[in-house]
Amino acid sequence: MAVEEKLIDIIADQLSVDKAKVVPGASFIDDLGADSLDLVELIMAMEEAFDIEIADEVAEKIVTVQDAIDHINKIS
Amino acid sequence: MSLQDKIALVTGGSRGIGRAVALRLAAMGALTIINYVSRPEAAQAVADEITQAGGRAEICPFNVADTAESEAAIKKILDAHGRLDILVNNAGITRDGLLMKMKEAQWDEVLATNLKGAFTCTKAVSRAMMKQRWGRIVNISSVIGFAGNAGQSNYAAAKAGLVGLTRSVARELAPRNITVNGVAPGYIVTDMTKDLSEEINDRIRAEIPLGVLGEAEDVAAAVAYLVSDEARYVTGQFIHVNGGMYMG
């Protein structure tokens, strides 16, 4: 699925982690070592890549890779 | 203190303190981008002075009070150079008047340029600096922002606002090795202060322990330190360059 692959690329690139680690259940903070600034940058990268706007209150609920995939699928 | 390979943007860099800062950063090796809004010939003169001395400079017009214009201009800089290492938020105006007579427009204009402009430019460069894991932001405040001044409630509020902005952004960006500091000049000889009467100048001098007005270069020297690698452990701070008239 194209969206999912693109998203995994963005996450791996933004958080400087191996793509193999970017599995659906992975938590950005607990499993992928992101801090709060990383999350902001990640959300902004997603907004740019998919040409969408992610409101702060929505962004707060995106804590795992699956959350991100679900959100992008839902709105695009 | 070398800034070789660094790119610096100085807002309001065509004259006064901004001009001195631009000359100084260029002399340290940075490619210095001189922002201006109303005087292209003055900005070009600063750029020429830099290139004649063997430095690198560009000029870049935008009004920091205009968010869209500023964002577009800074994006163009980032697209052209791929990075931006140093931002000096220097652009400032005065619209003096006693509070009781001050018009809303006087308040709004000063806040828009002196405070919101710094927010806009800082925001526009922050992502690039975060990616680089290196950045230096210096906000030019004023002794007026710390001590207050009759007839300048708008200017004082904006300059004090820069202190809160500086300290908050310093905390936010510290994890990415970006420092955010400020310089608070006292009475410096510039276009902004040159029209003061001799009587007022005498009164000002009487309040300055060192007894003289400052030069723009005195401020530039403080900026030069804050943007250097030597200042890597300094963030959220203000250097007061005021001859001792206010000791913060």
Side-chain angles (χ1 to χ4, degrees):
Chain A
M1 183 193 271
V3 168
E4 208 168 312
E5 274 167 33
K6 188 170 165 188
L7 193 53
I8 288 169
D9 279 348
I10 293 168
I11 294 166
D13 177 57
Q14 200 67 51
L15 304 182
S16 306
V17 293
D18 198 284
K19 263 201 255 182
K21 284 191 166 174
V22 187
V23 293
S27 150
F28 295 121
I29 290 176
D30 297 332
D31 302 315
L32 301 178
D35 65 14
S36 60
L37 282 178
D38 286 322
L39 289 184
V40 175
E41 286 190 273
L42 179 59
I43 294 293
M44 289 172 76
M46 284 167 54
E47 288 179 328
E48 247 169 43
F50 296 99
D51 196 22
I52 53 170
E53 286 244 9
I54 302 173
D56 286 351
E57 54 272 24
V58 175
E60 276 169 26
K61 298 198 181 89
I62 300 178
V63 293
T64 66
V65 175
Q66 189 64 54
D67 293 339
I69 294 169
D70 289 347
H71 184 71
I72 299 292
N73 280 333
K74 196 170 76 188
I75 61 166
S76 57
Chain B
M1 293 199 284
S2 169
L3 299 177
Q4 217 67 48
D5 306 323
K6 299 276 195 271
I7 297 179
L9 169 63
V10 181
T11 67
S14 67
R15 54 204 170 115
I17 289 170
R19 174 180 176 276
V21 169
L23 292 173
R24 180 69 184 248
L25 298 185
M28 292 163 78
L31 164 56
T32 303
I33 299 166
I34 299 150
N35 157 257
Y36 66 96
V37 58
S38 54
R39 300 191 185 189
E41 67 288 345
Q44 190 56 54
V46 181
D48 290 346
E49 192 173 337
I50 288 170
T51 47
Q52 276 156 25
R56 296 172 299 154
E58 290 177 9
I59 63 172
C60 179
F62 63 90
N63 180 355
V64 299
D66 184 327
T67 303
E69 191 181 308
S70 304
E71 285 175 349
I74 290 173
K75 184 174 183 300
K76 235 164 91 181
I77 293 169
L78 289 168
D79 287 346
H81 298 286
R83 61 184 300 119
L84 189 54
D85 306 280
I86 297 164
L87 168 67
V88 181
N89 285 310
N90 166 75
I93 58 170
T94 54
R95 297 285 184 270
D96 298 350
L98 293 172
L99 175 85
M100 291 177 72
K101 305 273 285 174
M102 187 175 287
K103 302 260 193 301
E104 185 182 7
Q106 287 172 281
W107 174 271
D108 287 346
E109 282 170 34
V110 167
L111 269 288
T113 298
N114 299 16
L115 183 55
K116 193 183 77 175
F119 156 75
T120 302
C121 295
T122 301
K123 188 179 166 198
V125 304
S126 61
R127 257 185 111 185
M129 287 185 182
M130 280 172 72
K131 280 214 173 77
Q132 292 162 199
R133 299 290 193 269
W134 198 95
R136 294 281 188 269
I137 298 169
V138 180
N139 294 322
I140 307 298
S141 178
S142 165
V143 64
I144 305 300
F146 289 83
N149 194 24
Q152 290 197 302
S153 56
N154 50 0
Y155 188 79
K159 292 299 190 180
L162 283 176
V163 179
L165 176 72
T166 300
R167 291 177 176 159
S168 301
V169 180
R171 288 179 188 274
E172 286 187 24
L173 300 183
R176 292 295 182 276
N177 198 30
I178 298 164
T179 68
V180 188
N181 292 288
V183 177
Y187 279 92
I188 307 296
V189 182
T190 66
D191 288 349
M192 207 187 262
T193 53
K194 78 170 176 359
D195 291 333
L196 298 175
S197 70
E198 205 35 50
E199 186 202 337
I200 290 183
N201 267 329
D202 284 343
R203 260 211 319 254
I204 291 168
R205 262 195 296 275
E207 284 175 35
I208 303 173
L210 284 173
V212 288
L213 270 62
E215 303 285 338
E217 289 70 23
D218 297 322
V219 181
V223 175
Y225 167 67
L226 290 171
V227 303
S228 72
D229 275 323
E230 277 90 338
R232 67 183 186 94
Y233 202 54
V234 179
T235 196
Q237 308 300 321
F238 273 79
I239 299 181
H240 294 268
V241 181
N242 61 23
M245 72 178 286
Y246 172 85
M247 300 188 183

